[in-house]
C-alpha cells in the first residue's frame, strides 16, 4: 500500500495542491462557509470576483484618406513652413481642414500607431524654425526620413 505524498492530517495543504490555489485562499473559503452556516454572514455579500472590463476600441476611426491628409500636413510643416510640427499645431490645422473630431491624445496615438516618432528638441519652450542644412532628424518624422537623413550625411 502506498502512502500519500501529503499526509491526510494536512487537509488544507492537500486541497490546495489538488485545486491549484494557495492555502490561504482555501482557508478564506472555509472561514466564509463557517460564517454563512452560523448565520453571521449573508451569502449575497460574499466576495465576488470582479468582472473583466471589456476595452472599447477607439472612439475615432481614421480612414486611409484622412491618414494620408495627416501625413501630408506633417510633411508640409517641414517642406513649406520650415518648422517643426507639434501635436497642438497639427490638431488645430486638422480640425479646420478635415473636421478632425479627436482630442490631442487621440491624434498622438494615431500618429504613433502609423509609424511617426516623437523627439525632444533642444528647448521645447523656444520653437526654432528648422533650417535646411541641419543634419539631425526633426522631432516628429516617419521612419523612412531617418534613412534619408543618414544617406544625406554619408554623401556630404
Amino acid at each position: 500500500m502506498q502512502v500519500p505524498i501529503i499526509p491526510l492530517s494536512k487537509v488544507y495543504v492537500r486541497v490546495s495542491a489538488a485545486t491549484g490555489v494557495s492555502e490561504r485562499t482555501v482557508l478564506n473559503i472555509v472561514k466564509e462557509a463557517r460564517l454563512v452556516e452560523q448565520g453571521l454572514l449573508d451569502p449575497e455579500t460574499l466576495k465576488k470576483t470582479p468582472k473583466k472590463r471589456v476595452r472599447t476600441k477607439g472612439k475615432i476611426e481614421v480612414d486611409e484618406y484622412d491618414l494620408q491628409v495627416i501625413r501630408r500636413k506633417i510633411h508640409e510643416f517641414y517642406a513649406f513652413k520650415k518648422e517643426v510640427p507639434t501635436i497642438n499645431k497639427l490638431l488645430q490645422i486638422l480640425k479646420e481642414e478635415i473636421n478632425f473630431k479627436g482630442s490631442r491624445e487621440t491624434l498622438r496615438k494615431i500618429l504613433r500607431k502609423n509609424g511617426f516618432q516623437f523627439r525632444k528638441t533642444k528647448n521645447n519652450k523656444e520653437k526654432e524654425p528648422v533650417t535646411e542644412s541641419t543634419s539631425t532628424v526633426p522631432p516628429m518624422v516617419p521612419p523612412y526620413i531617418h534613412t534619408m537623413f543618414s544617406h544625406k550625411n554619408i554623401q556630404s
Side-chain angles (χ1 to χ4, degrees):
M1 181 171 171
Q2 282 188 322
V3 179
I5 297 173
I6 302 172
L8 293 174
S9 60
K10 296 186 177 183
V11 177
Y12 295 133
V13 176
R14 290 177 61 90
V15 171
S16 172
T19 58
V21 296
S22 68
E23 287 181 54
R24 188 68 195 168
T25 304
V26 173
L27 187 65
N28 286 338
I29 293 170
V30 171
K31 181 179 162 185
E32 285 179 356
R34 285 186 186 146
L35 290 174
V36 168
E37 285 176 359
Q38 294 172 359
L40 299 174
L41 185 64
D42 185 27
E44 298 297 320
T45 61
L46 288 177
K47 294 179 187 174
K48 294 181 181 174
T49 57
K51 291 183 180 179
K52 298 260 182 192
R53 189 178 131 209
V54 178
R55 301 261 328 178
T56 59
K57 200 170 182 179
K59 294 179 184 176
I60 304 296
E61 291 292 325
V62 180
D63 59 350
E64 192 62 34
Y65 172 76
D66 289 339
L67 193 59
Q68 292 297 327
V69 170
I70 292 171
R71 187 175 291 120
R72 191 171 57 244
K73 289 299 167 190
I74 291 172
H75 292 300
E76 282 178 13
F77 268 98
Y78 291 117
F80 300 118
K81 296 182 181 180
K82 306 286 189 223
E83 64 181 58
V84 177
T86 63
I87 294 285
N88 290 333
K89 289 179 187 177
L90 189 60
L91 181 64
Q92 184 179 6
I93 289 174
L94 292 175
K95 282 187 177 183
E96 292 170 3
E97 294 192 11
I98 64 168
N99 199 18
F100 183 75
K101 291 180 174 55
S103 67
R104 181 178 185 271
E105 190 64 19
T106 305
L107 178 60
R108 187 189 69 79
K109 286 179 183 177
I110 290 169
L111 292 173
R112 290 286 305 227
K113 183 176 153 189
N114 289 293
F116 286 95
Q117 299 173 350
F118 296 90
R119 302 283 165 96
K120 289 192 179 234
T121 56
K122 290 180 183 176
N123 187 354
N124 285 339
K125 301 295 180 192
E126 298 174 15
K127 301 295 182 192
E128 298 177 10
V130 176
T131 59
E132 292 180 19
S133 63
T134 59
S135 61
T136 60
V137 180
M140 186 171 52
V141 294
Y144 66 87
I145 297 277
H146 288 283
T147 57
M148 185 177 74
F149 273 95
S150 64
H151 292 300
K152 183 179 176 184
N153 290 340
I154 292 172
Q155 292 174 355
S156 48

